[in-house]
Amino acid sequence: MDLLKQSIFQAIDEASEELEKLSTDIWRNPELNFEEHHAHEILTNFLECKGFNVIKKFAIETGFKADLGSTENGPNIAVICEYDALPEIGHACGHNLIAEAGVAAGLGIKAAMEKAEKPFGKITVLGTPAEEGGGGKIDMINAGVFDDIDVAMMVHPFPKTVSHVSLAAVDMVTIKYTGKAAHAAAYPWEGVNALDAAVLCYQNVSCLRQQMKPTWRAHGIINKGGIKPNIIPEFTELEYYFRAPIKQELDEMRDKMKSCFDSAATATGCQVSYSFSSKPYLNLVTNNRMADVFWSNAKSIGVKFDAKEDTIAGSTDMGNVSQIVPIIHPIYGIETLHGNHTKDFATAAGDPKAQLHTLNQAKSYGTDLP
């Protein structure tokens, strides 16, 4: 066992400069969901050069699979890479580091497989696009990608380090109000104000928060609010995300949100339509046994945890994977107090200080191999 651990550490350490360049390249070239063509190309080329069997454009145009080994003599262990960025603020969720950690873990486990006296299964490095609202993993689930995978693992940069993580379910909805345009000064009585409906909708949801459970969340924006101040807006649009710990509570929350949307239309005389996402993210369930092993592995190489267990209000399409395959999704600090989805976190994700923490996470995947 010690020889296998040493082979994992050695393989990751020897590739550390290449891995950092890979991560930095992705960080400097942020791509939105389903548009990660550059990241797809450099990740798959790198894995091919390292001896993996690579399928490019796997299930999705920017998805990939890179594997080694066989399930005839052990489980198929998937290590997940994400690599999409956010609009305007780039890699403010650190997906460049997630990709790096996934590839690094793949290299380490590959080295252990080659060092082992007998075969012990299969390693699959899986490239999953479009986590940021696109539900890429859901598309891959529907395409049967996870049907032959026994367990799946990934890590995620964060302001703190926790091994046993729970994440909320989330759904998304777009609300559209249609009224009637009129000159706002000369003939306002001829208009039906769709902006009033949007504002009332926003206020209704805000009022609903008083009756929301502490673990529920609702947050939204007005995407379209009118054309000019002297024209009564004929069309407006809002977008909301809403979250709850489990799908059943999310459905309950959805019904309450619908009442907010409908009542705003009734009060203003507007017509309303709303469309919910076809790919809601389900709550993430950590496999405690796997997470216990990860916790032990990470502590043995000096990783300091802020807590062993924590519930985070955020969401991920890895939650959908966790409903069908045992998974872990530890979060880890990268020496910043700033939260994800901020410019400051994007800066931290590209800082060399994040490298040691990222590679230590990759080493922790495989230090309890059979």
Side-chain angles (χ1 to χ4, degrees):
M1 178 58 66
D2 287 342
L3 289 176
L4 296 187
K5 290 182 179 181
Q6 289 172 13
S7 65
I8 291 170
F9 297 161
Q10 183 177 348
I12 293 174
D13 288 338
E14 288 178 352
S16 61
E17 290 186 9
E18 294 176 281
L19 291 165
E20 182 174 6
K21 287 179 182 177
L22 197 65
S23 175
T24 301
D25 193 349
I26 295 171
W27 181 80
R28 287 176 175 166
N29 296 279
E31 299 166 297
L32 301 182
N33 58 22
F34 296 117
E35 299 176 5
E36 314 96 326
H37 300 287
H38 176 71
H40 170 274
E41 190 67 14
I42 63 172
L43 288 166
T44 53
N45 288 346
F46 182 85
L47 287 162
E48 278 184 332
C49 289
K50 296 299 182 180
F52 284 84
N53 305 309
V54 175
I55 300 178
K56 298 186 177 185
K57 300 182 179 181
F58 180 64
I60 301 173
E61 182 72 16
T62 50
F64 68 83
K65 180 173 75 168
D67 60 27
L68 282 171
S70 171
T71 54
E72 293 180 0
N73 39 52
N76 184 3
I77 300 169
V79 181
I80 304 294
C81 294
E82 295 176 355
Y83 33 91
D84 59 323
L86 289 157
E88 298 186 12
I89 54 176
H91 278 289
C93 210
H95 288 191
N96 59 304
L97 299 175
I98 297 174
E100 178 185 3
V103 170
L107 293 180
I109 296 172
K110 173 179 178 287
M113 293 171 69
E114 293 169 347
K115 191 76 171 178
E117 296 179 358
K118 60 180 181 179
F120 57 77
K122 184 176 183 178
I123 174 66
T124 298
V125 181
L126 195 61
T128 62
E131 188 277 336
E132 293 292 353
K137 294 182 191 65
I138 300 171
D139 292 338
M140 293 182 117
I141 289 170
N142 293 336
V145 169
F146 289 90
D147 290 354
D148 65 344
I149 287 172
D150 295 294
V151 298
M153 307 184 292
M154 66 170 283
V155 293
H156 200 303
F158 205 73
K160 58 185 175 182
T161 303
V162 181
S163 57
H164 299 55
V165 175
S166 298
L167 291 163
V170 65
D171 202 351
M172 293 148 271
V173 60
T174 299
I175 311 104
K176 298 178 180 180
Y177 290 100
T178 302
K180 181 182 177 182
H183 194 291
Y187 307 104
W189 52 87
E190 294 185 1
V192 178
N193 197 320
L195 180 57
D196 283 347
V199 171
L200 279 178
C201 172
Y202 191 92
Q203 291 175 332
N204 288 346
V205 175
S206 295
C207 290
L208 176 63
R209 290 193 181 99
Q210 186 179 15
Q211 276 70 49
M212 284 183 185
K213 296 179 181 179
T215 51
W216 291 8
R217 297 289 187 273
H219 35 94
I221 58 170
I222 299 176
N223 282 332
K224 298 175 182 177
I227 301 171
K228 292 186 68 177
N230 62 349
I231 303 173
I232 287 187
E234 185 172 24
F235 176 80
T236 54
E237 181 180 291
L238 302 92
E239 184 177 359
Y240 267 94
Y241 288 13
F242 57 102
R243 308 174 197 256
I246 56 175
K247 180 64 163 58
Q248 290 86 341
E249 290 188 25
L250 195 69
D251 291 341
E252 181 183 350
M253 195 174 176
R254 175 195 287 224
D255 291 339
K256 293 179 181 294
M257 297 281 283
K258 284 181 181 179
S259 296
C260 294
F261 309 155
D262 291 334
S263 60
T266 300
T268 57
C270 290
Q271 300 297 311
V272 63
S273 64
Y274 37 83
S275 56
F276 292 87
S277 170
S278 61
K279 297 185 285 187
Y281 290 9
L282 302 182
N283 55 295
L284 184 137
V285 180
T286 288
N287 182 283
N288 287 330
R289 185 173 180 181
M290 289 169 59
D292 285 344
V293 173
F294 186 92
W295 158 276
S296 178
N297 292 343
K299 290 191 73 174
S300 74
I301 58 173
V303 173
K304 298 185 187 308
F305 287 88
D306 295 286
K308 189 172 184 179
E309 300 181 14
D310 201 359
T311 298
I312 309 298
S315 309
T316 171
D317 56 3
M318 191 67 170
N320 299 65
V321 178
S322 78
Q323 302 290 329
I324 60 170
V325 174
I327 68 103
I328 58 170
H329 187 284
I331 55 176
Y332 70 99
I334 54 172
E335 298 191 32
T336 180
L337 298 177
H338 298 286
N340 300 59
H341 291 209
T342 64
K343 290 181 180 179
D344 291 313
F345 195 88
T347 299
D351 194 309
K353 289 188 294 186
Q355 287 301 304
L356 173 63
H357 306 291
T358 299
L359 296 185
N360 278 343
Q361 295 291 305
K363 291 174 181 178
S364 302
Y365 278 135
T367 52
D368 200 47
L369 292 168

